[in-house]
Amino acid sequence: VDDKYWNGYFTIPVEFTISKLNNMYVLKKKPIAEIEILHQEKLIEKENYELTPNSENILNNLSGICLDVDFKFTLKGASKVTLTLLKSNTDYYKVIYDTKNATLTIDYKSTGANCPWEDFNPSGTIKASLLPNNNQISIRVLLDRLGIDAFANDGIHAFYSYFWQKGDSKMELSVEGGNIIIDSLSIYKMGGIN
């Protein structure tokens, strides 16, 4: 196989469930529980932590590509919550919750900037309406070497995108306009399937 071209990618195994939400039935999609077998090193675990616009970046010293990020937070005045992954000098992958518009945006516009393959340009944004559940939002992101699966509010929304990452893969968590309470945040490095 000519190594110049990308040949494919497997997404993670997921389960589908039907749940009742606001007197309607919704289809949910989330990773299977067995994904946790692939957890290796725990990079961070935080609970009941108040994050303010002036807080230091609690993810400052963390980096990685193959990760499982599980993040639940309660809104406490914040207008925007941004989780940045795969951050380098030129690239980033952002998960942004906008409280004013009740939207979740996946921003991966910069991830294709340094891609050496002309026909492989993984960049763009995905946006969805997302109402808090009891003033709480949950986000789970699984990163692999070429793809990212993101799930919001226990699988109400599921997103997939692929990316091209070159260089460091720093992380950042920030809020604007007010605070949040981090109910739980865990990030694990992931191993491969053997």
Side-chain angles (χ1 to χ4, degrees):
V1 175
D2 184 348
D3 65 359
K4 179 180 174 189
Y5 297 100
W6 177 58
N7 290 313
Y9 172 77
F10 290 107
T11 61
I12 60 159
V14 295
E15 66 178 350
F16 291 92
T17 58
I18 296 175
S19 298
K20 198 167 189 176
L21 179 70
N22 299 328
N23 295 321
M24 295 177 55
Y25 288 97
V26 294
L27 183 65
K28 292 183 175 183
K29 176 183 175 183
K30 61 184 181 179
I32 61 172
E34 291 81 1
I35 287 292
E36 293 178 8
I37 294 169
L38 301 176
H39 285 180
Q40 291 184 337
E41 178 187 355
K42 183 189 299 181
L43 298 178
I44 191 171
E45 186 165 37
K46 284 262 188 216
E47 290 183 346
N48 302 317
Y49 179 85
E50 188 162 357
L51 187 69
T52 72
N54 297 321
S55 294
E56 288 186 29
N57 176 21
I58 61 172
L59 307 180
N60 190 39
N61 297 318
L62 304 180
S63 65
I65 291 183
C66 296
L67 303 171
D68 184 353
V69 179
D70 198 355
F71 178 35
K72 293 176 183 66
F73 61 92
T74 299
L75 298 167
K76 194 175 175 187
S79 58
K80 188 184 286 187
V81 181
T82 304
L83 172 64
T84 305
L85 303 167
L86 303 172
K87 184 179 179 182
S88 70
N89 290 337
T90 57
D91 299 326
Y92 61 81
Y93 180 92
K94 292 184 179 183
V95 180
I96 304 163
Y97 185 70
D98 179 338
T99 61
K100 182 178 162 187
N101 298 309
T103 56
L104 185 71
T105 302
I106 308 295
D107 178 354
Y108 58 107
K109 290 185 292 242
S110 77
T111 61
N114 295 309
C115 183
W117 305 318
E118 293 172 15
D119 58 345
F120 181 77
N121 187 10
S123 63
T125 58
I126 305 167
K127 188 180 282 192
S129 295
L130 183 67
L131 294 173
N133 185 5
N134 293 323
N135 214 30
Q136 187 181 60
I137 299 290
S138 68
I139 297 169
R140 182 147 182 216
V141 181
L142 291 146
L143 291 90
D144 201 348
R145 298 190 192 292
L146 283 176
I148 297 177
D149 290 273
F151 305 88
N153 282 6
D154 200 32
I156 293 284
H157 290 292
F159 308 90
Y160 169 78
S161 61
Y162 57 94
F163 65 92
W164 174 262
Q165 174 64 18
K166 185 175 183 178
D168 261 352
S169 301
K170 304 277 184 201
M171 298 177 223
E172 187 174 279
L173 179 59
S174 63
V175 294
E176 295 175 22
N179 304 349
I180 63 169
I181 301 296
I182 297 173
D183 301 307
S184 63
L185 169 64
S186 63
I187 302 176
Y188 288 87
K189 282 194 175 180
M190 302 281 283
I193 297 173
N194 296 327

